[in-house]
Amino acid sequence: MSFMSEFREFAVKGNVIDLAVGVIIGGAFGKIVDSIVNDLIMPVVGLIFGKLDFSNLFVALGNVPEGTPHTLEAIRKAGIPVFAYGNFITVAVNFIILAFIIFLMVKQINRLKREAPAEAPAPEATPEDIVLLREIRDNLKR
């Protein structure tokens, strides 16, 4: 079997295609979760904890030139190394929310699988000729 035919066989297997679809949907789902965290949850959390903007929490690891605004974007543009722990907090909250949503989805799928019990196939009726042969056999034994 040639290399290309082996690769084609591998690429068209159902599992590989399912994985590709899952990765694409996961990427899109990740963007949705990013938006939920950045646009809905983090502003509320920031409001509760004193109107903090977590994306702007950082420590400059060098001297900030005078006149440079004290924002993450401006300091990065100035070429100063930055320890941006606010971005890490945002990504960590993102991960927790995503993990929780996936947990709920898996839990729901497992619940649906348990609710649908496997029905045992009904036993087939014995053909009439077999029934008659059994009766004849039983009568002969007597």
Side-chain angles (χ1 to χ4, degrees), residues 72-126:
L72 180 61
E73 183 179 332
I75 292 179
R76 280 187 172 163
K77 280 185 181 177
I80 300 167
V82 177
F83 185 73
Y85 64 93
N87 282 339
F88 175 76
I89 292 171
T90 303
V91 171
V93 169
N94 236 354
F95 172 77
I96 291 169
I97 291 170
L98 185 60
F100 181 70
I101 291 171
I102 290 172
F103 166 75
L104 291 177
M105 288 172 44
V106 169
K107 186 175 178 179
Q108 181 68 19
I109 289 169
N110 288 339
R111 188 179 68 82
L112 291 174
K113 284 182 181 178
R114 281 192 303 258
E115 285 181 0
E119 294 181 25
E124 293 183 23
T126 308

Side-chain angles (χ1 to χ4, degrees), residues 11-78:
V12 297
K13 284 186 179 176
N15 293 342
V16 174
I17 294 171
D18 292 344
L19 178 63
V21 170
V23 167
I24 292 167
I25 290 174
F29 190 68
K31 289 180 182 179
I32 291 171
V33 172
D34 281 343
S35 176
I36 289 171
V37 169
N38 294 330
D39 301 333
L40 302 177
I41 293 174
M42 293 310 275
V44 173
V45 170
L47 180 68
I48 292 170
F49 291 107
K51 299 183 180 181
L52 291 175
D53 178 14
F54 288 106
S55 63
N56 241 354
L57 296 178
F58 64 91
V59 174
L61 300 176
N63 294 329
V64 180
E66 285 188 38
T68 305
H70 197 68
T71 64
L72 180 61
E73 183 179 332
I75 292 179
R76 280 187 172 163
K77 280 185 181 177

